[in-house]
Amino acid sequence: MRLIIFAIVSFITVVLAGGVSAQPWQNTDPASAGWSIDRLKAAQDYATSLRPTAVMVVQDGKVVASWGDVSRKVNVASVRKSLLSALYGIAVAERRIDLGSSLADLGIDDKPPALTTIERQATIRDLLMARSGVYHVAAYETADIRQKRPERGSHVPGSFWFYNNWDFNTLGTIYRRQTGEDIFQSFAKRIAAPIGMQDFSERDGKYVSERHSAHPAYPFRLSARDAARFGQLYLDRGLWSGRQVIPASWVKASTTTYSATDRGNMGYGYLWWTLNPEVFGPGAALASGYGGQAIAIVPLKHLVVVQTVDLVQNAKGVRTSHFVKLLQHLATAAP
């Protein structure tokens, strides 16, 4: 009787969360699936040399290979921005957020020196594209970004791409204000539960503030196997088990290149990096975070590749360029 009651309570909890129960990933034999075993082994050897915490390779929704501890949760750094992008897609579809709204429309400002009249003309869409033209001090910036940040007023909104934590953090503030929802609770309810993440809970997020800015960062901790589910959701155009979790139109829009960047052949969409289509095919995209955190989708190969790096264990981390090289190895090995 107790088992029956527990099962009923568990089912009700899942339903109220709007999700499905977590199901383990299914594995597939790479040789039977047509993979080059020699090239896959070479990719594994290369990955091992980078010292990541975990790597997962998923094709057609099944695990082809995994290395390391895929259940270990790590701070995925700037991958947080692509996670927030997904929440924006849902909120836009529900008409709770209008991408054409300006900072002035929304009453967004910051600590002194406050935003100028021109800066407040930046729209939500500008922020999603990292084109706000607002170069105020921001929380959670790397030393490199602080050094490269343009001068205030040097570019009008919409005219210039700069990888700008002020844009990304302010999008978090706007999301919370416009929806009335906490980012981490919202992600747990609207994305993690529906796609059956095995490890994530709303306690795996926190807000990080900087005394010169009113807009905190919102880092997440994810396991590789949960990050791979998020990648699979985007690879499948927002569809999971017959449910449209994220609008397909948003998945396409957020992984479309709007800006050339200073990162080699990578472009930028709505809080997603886009990968060179001549190398990876159309629609290939990357959620990337400091130290080697990565979720890549390669639609041409029906492929999701995830890498996590615990910077306590590997203080140097893994360069994004090295992950992209690993991705090339894997794409070559894939049928």
Side-chain angles (χ1 to χ4, degrees):
M1 184 65 180
R2 288 181 179 177
L3 289 176
I4 293 173
I5 292 172
F6 175 78
I8 293 172
V9 170
S10 298
F11 175 77
I12 291 173
T13 300
V14 168
V15 170
L16 289 175
V20 295
S21 58
Q23 296 293 327
W25 281 97
Q26 290 186 333
N27 297 315
T28 190
D29 175 58
S32 300
W35 282 67
S36 166
I37 298 305
D38 289 341
R39 290 179 176 177
L40 184 59
K41 178 62 166 58
Q44 181 178 0
D45 290 343
Y46 180 68
T48 300
S49 74
L50 302 176
R51 296 180 56 224
T53 297
V55 173
M56 275 188 71
V57 184
V58 178
Q59 188 177 51
D60 293 318
K62 295 182 179 179
V63 178
V64 172
S66 65
W67 312 307
D69 187 352
V70 299
S71 66
R72 185 183 183 91
K73 291 186 278 193
V74 306
N75 181 347
V76 292
S78 288
V79 169
R80 69 187 175 99
K81 298 154 191 175
S82 302
L83 305 182
L84 183 66
S85 178
L87 291 177
Y88 260 81
I90 297 169
V92 168
E94 294 174 350
R95 299 185 177 181
R96 296 184 298 160
I97 291 179
D98 179 354
L99 298 189
S101 297
S102 70
L103 299 179
D105 295 334
L106 300 169
I108 294 292
D109 205 335
D110 210 334
K111 295 180 180 179
L115 303 193
T116 66
T117 300
I118 292 176
E119 287 174 332
R120 297 182 76 218
Q121 293 174 3
T123 65
I124 293 176
R125 182 177 282 104
D126 291 330
L127 272 65
L128 287 166
M129 295 190 294
R131 284 178 163 269
S132 75
V134 180
Y135 306 124
H136 193 285
V137 173
Y140 219 54
E141 289 183 315
T142 63
D144 182 61
I145 294 298
R146 284 195 299 271
Q147 183 178 5
K148 292 179 178 178
R149 187 194 303 119
E151 294 292 326
R152 294 281 295 273
S154 57
H155 302 284
V156 299
S159 68
F160 183 78
W161 180 88
F162 175 70
Y163 190 71
N164 189 1
N165 260 23
W166 192 90
D167 293 11
F168 311 138
N169 296 344
T170 302
L171 285 167
T173 298
I174 292 170
Y175 182 85
R176 296 195 308 275
R177 288 187 185 180
Q178 296 302 108
T179 66
E181 297 179 9
D182 173 81
I183 291 171
F184 309 113
Q185 291 176 353
S186 189
F187 187 83
K189 175 183 177 182
R190 295 178 175 274
I191 295 176
I195 68 176
M197 285 189 173
Q198 294 170 263
D199 306 304
F200 179 79
S201 82
E202 63 187 66
R203 295 184 298 276
D204 290 316
K206 66 177 182 178
Y207 295 100
V208 177
S209 297
E210 149 55 70
R211 65 190 180 93
H212 296 296
S213 178
H215 308 292
Y218 39 90
F220 281 70
R221 293 172 68 245
L222 285 181
S223 64
R225 62 186 181 182
D226 280 353
R229 288 181 185 272
F230 184 75
Q232 189 67 43
L233 178 65
Y234 260 73
L235 184 69
D236 290 339
R237 300 180 181 86
L239 191 68
W240 192 277
S241 298
R243 174 179 174 180
Q244 198 69 49
V245 178
I246 305 168
S249 59
W250 183 263
V251 172
K252 182 178 180 180
S254 57
T255 55
T256 294
T257 301
Y258 303 114
S259 304
T261 75
D262 57 2
R263 312 289 172 90
N265 290 324
M266 294 168 63
Y268 207 72
Y270 288 163
L271 306 184
W272 278 83
W273 298 92
T274 57
L275 297 171
N276 187 350
E278 294 182 4
V279 176
F280 295 105
L286 173 66
S288 178
Y290 177 80
Q293 325 308 330
I295 305 172
I297 60 170
V298 183
L300 181 66
K301 297 282 187 171
H302 310 282
L303 190 65
V304 175
V305 179
V306 165
Q307 176 180 268
T308 58
V309 182
D310 186 336
L311 297 179
V312 174
Q313 296 179 328
N314 179 0
K316 292 185 178 179
V318 177
R319 294 180 65 88
T320 302
S321 59
H322 293 164
F323 172 77
V324 173
K325 183 177 179 180
L326 170 62
L327 187 62
Q328 287 180 273
H329 284 311
L330 290 167
T332 302

